[in-house]
Amino acid sequence: MQVEMLEQISSKDAEAILKLLPERIRIAIIARAKEIDYPIEATLEMAIASFLDTEAISFTDCKPNRGY
């Protein structure tokens, strides 16, 4: 099986991820996407990036080993 590396989460993958999340987290991510008027996939990326690196605003900016 060959895996294609993408720079962004696709909308199809974002929907699959949302289905696997606990309801309260799914609702919060959807609400945040609406609040900031961003696509759900971008909002998911930012949520994950901010977990890995609190100074990141996107995966492009994410450097999880900074400071170690």
Side-chain angles (χ1 to χ4, degrees), residues 4 17-20 23 26-28 32 41 45 51-53 60 63 68:
E4 181 181 349
I17 292 168
L18 283 175
K19 289 179 184 178
L20 297 171
E23 184 178 4
R26 180 175 47 253
I27 290 169
R32 181 67 175 153
E41 55 271 22
E45 285 184 17
F51 172 77
L52 296 172
D53 182 348
T60 305
K63 295 175 179 59
Y68 294 99

Side-chain angles (χ1 to χ4, degrees), residues 44-68:
L44 274 171
E45 285 184 17
M46 288 189 297
I48 295 167
S50 68
F51 172 77
L52 296 172
D53 182 348
T54 57
E55 295 177 16
I57 59 170
S58 71
F59 272 131
T60 305
D61 298 329
C62 186
K63 295 175 179 59
N65 292 326
R66 180 181 21 232
Y68 294 99

